[in-house]
Each structure stands twice: as structure tokens, then as C-alpha cells.
């Protein structure tokens, strides 16, 4: 039995787990066909993603550029970038985050790839965010605000929720007023999270590279090259 592990936690909502499992099954079988001992199933319900991503047995996972910039890049190898084509706010390997508020509290905006920041509307509001190392949830927004000569002090409070879905719910239920939700998570929320029906995108962050696929630094160069080739053929 293989000791290698694989996990795709970033968009693994319960409603799409069958689709995620089917995607992994295709990748697993293609990897095994070329001699990589890929695990039968994805690792799930991980309490510590940082430990998972730093595990030397990590064959494949997906992370965020926030953790990568904060030190994770020293422990992993970049395998590739997903495509966000077909998702509002996405184009190729680039994505924007939707700035969501309750319906009626701002004008609906469509993404352009450039930051759309309704600063007057945002001022004094309570910001819900998934985690402090999230590029899509807070770091990218902070950088866009800095480019507009503003900062996160624009908000009256910052409320960490633990996940994009939880941020959507927090805004919808009135525990927060605004959240930055990456475009794929926002697309999932509109399909599967009832609370999202009461929200709309009143702004967007600038387009940035999407959530990268990674492998442990301990994986051989040959294994990573095979991973890249298989993922290119199976996912594109």
C-alpha cells in the first residue's frame, strides 16, 4: 500500500465531493498507468492544512498563494495552476474575489480584472474573512486597498470565520457586512449555499493567479514532471 497522500481541500464542498472524487480517480489511474503509486482516495477532514502541505509524503494538493508567500513555498514544488475559465471573475489561471454584501446595500458590479472597490460603501463596515493567510479572503484585498492609499483600518471590525462559506453566512445573517470570496467559491455558494441568495457582488478584487497545485519538496523531479504531464492531459 502506498504511503503517499493526496488532498484537494480548497473547493471540496460536500455538494461536489462526488465530482472531486471522480476527478481524483481519473488522475490516480493515469498516474498509476505511468508508474506513480498514487493513493486510492483523497485525504479529507484535515485539522492542520499547514502540516498536510508540509508532509514529505504529499504527492498532490492544492493551496493558496498566501501560505506560499508566507513560507510554504520552501517546502513544496509547484505542479500547476487550475483554469478559472467559465466562472464569473475568472480567466485562465487568474481569478478575482467578489466583494459581497447583502442585497440592497450596494450596486451590483461585474468583474473586469481590475479592482472595483466601493470605498465609501466599505468604510466602517465589518469585514468577514476566512483566514489571515488567505490571498483571496484578505491579503489581496489589503493590497488593492493599499494601491488606493487605504488599508484594512477602513473597516470597523475584522471577523475571522474559518472559511469562505462561513463568511458568506456571516454576512447574510448580519454578523458581518462584507466579505471577499474567491470567484470559484462564490460560484459554489450561489449554487449550494442558501444564504448566498441574499447577497450580491458590490465590488471585485484585482485578478491574481489562482490556487496552485503543489507536491512535497521531497518528491523526485521525475515524479513532479509526470504529475504535471498527467494533470495537463486530464484537467485541460
Amino acid at each position: 500500500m502506498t504511503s503517499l497522500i493526496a488532498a484537494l481541500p480548497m473547493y471540496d464542498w460536500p455538494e461536489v465531493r462526488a465530482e472531486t472524487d471522480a476527478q481524483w480517480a481519473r488522475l490516480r489511474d493515469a498516474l498509476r498507468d505511468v508508474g506513480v503509486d498514487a493513493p486510492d482516495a483523497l485525504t479529507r477532514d484535515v485539522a492542520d492544512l499547514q502540516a498536510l502541505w508540509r508532509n514529505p509524503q504529499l504527492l498532490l494538493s492544492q493551496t493558496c498563494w498566501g501560505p506560499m508567500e508566507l513560507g510554504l513555498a520552501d517546502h513544496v514544488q509547484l505542479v500547476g495552476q487550475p483554469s478559472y475559465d467559465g466562472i464569473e471573475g475568472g480567466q485562465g489561471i487568474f481569478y478575482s474575489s467578489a466583494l459581497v454584501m447583502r442585497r440592497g446595500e450596494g450596486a451590483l458590479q461585474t468583474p473586469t480584472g481590475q479592482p472595483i472597490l466601493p470605498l465609501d460603501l466599505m468604510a466602517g463596515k465589518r469585514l468577514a474573512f476566512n483566514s489571515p493567510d488567505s490571498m483571496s479572503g484578505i491579503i489581496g484585498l489589503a493590497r488593492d486597498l493599499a494601491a488606493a492609499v487605504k488599508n484594512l483600518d477602513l473597516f470597523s471590525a475584522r471577523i475571522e470565520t474559518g472559511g469562505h462559506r462561513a463568511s458568506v453566512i456571516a454576512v447574510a445573517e448580519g454578523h458581518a457586512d462584507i466579505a471577499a470570496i474567491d470567484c470559484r467559491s462564490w460560484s459554489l455558494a450561489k449554487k449550494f449555499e442558501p444564504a448566498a441568495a441574499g447577497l450580491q457582488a458590490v465590488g471585485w478584487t484585482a485578478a491574481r493567479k489562482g490556487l496552485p497545485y503543489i507536491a512535497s519538496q521531497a518528491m523526485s523531479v521525475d515524479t513532479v514532471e509526470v504529475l504535471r504531464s498527467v494533470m495537463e492531459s486530464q484537467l485541460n
Side-chain angles (χ1 to χ4, degrees):
M1 179 180 294
T2 182
S3 60
L4 299 178
I5 59 174
L8 297 172
M10 304 309 282
Y11 299 113
D12 193 26
W13 288 38
E15 295 88 347
V16 295
R17 282 195 169 180
E19 180 182 331
T20 304
D21 285 337
Q23 179 189 66
W24 171 245
R26 293 193 301 272
L27 287 171
R28 177 199 64 207
D29 293 347
L31 287 166
R32 288 177 174 178
D33 285 345
V34 291
V36 177
D37 192 15
D40 287 334
L42 293 168
T43 296
R44 283 197 167 100
D45 301 321
V46 177
D48 186 346
L49 284 175
Q50 291 289 343
L52 169 79
W53 292 329
R54 285 168 167 77
N55 190 317
Q57 296 302 113
L58 183 68
L59 175 65
L60 180 68
S61 190
Q62 189 174 25
T63 186
C64 169
W65 281 106
M68 289 286 276
E69 290 186 6
L70 294 170
L72 179 61
D74 294 335
H75 302 270
V76 300
Q77 301 177 69
L78 181 64
V79 175
Q81 295 279 158
S83 172
Y84 289 80
D85 284 340
I87 301 171
E88 184 185 29
Q91 183 174 12
I93 67 170
F94 296 96
Y95 79 98
S96 295
S97 290
L99 304 180
V100 301
M101 295 182 69
R102 290 176 289 276
R103 289 187 179 275
E105 296 184 352
L108 180 67
Q109 299 287 345
T110 56
T112 65
Q114 299 299 314
I116 301 173
L117 304 177
L119 296 175
D120 290 344
L121 188 62
M122 296 160 67
K125 298 298 192 295
R126 298 165 297 168
L127 173 70
F129 66 98
N130 53 337
S131 64
D133 63 353
S134 171
M135 183 64 69
S136 59
I138 194 165
I139 297 174
L141 175 59
R143 291 177 180 175
D144 290 347
L145 286 171
V149 199
K150 299 289 183 181
N151 58 48
L152 292 172
D153 290 338
L154 179 75
F155 302 105
S156 62
R158 282 169 258 168
I159 302 164
E160 185 175 352
T161 65
H164 280 311
R165 190 172 196 165
S167 294
V168 166
I169 294 170
V171 174
E173 293 184 348
H175 304 301
D177 303 306
I178 188 168
I181 310 295
D182 88 76
C183 66
R184 186 171 176 188
S185 293
W186 179 231
S187 177
L188 289 168
K190 288 188 289 184
K191 290 179 182 176
F192 301 118
E193 175 48 59
L199 307 182
Q200 65 179 15
V202 300
W204 293 84
T205 64
R208 292 178 169 85
K209 283 196 298 185
L211 281 63
Y213 294 114
I214 57 170
S216 170
Q217 194 68 258
M219 292 295 119
S220 70
V221 172
D222 288 345
T223 297
V224 172
E225 284 302 317
V226 168
L227 268 172
R228 289 172 179 151
S229 177
V230 166
M231 293 188 71
E232 179 71 22
S233 65
Q234 293 294 318
L235 300 183
N236 296 313

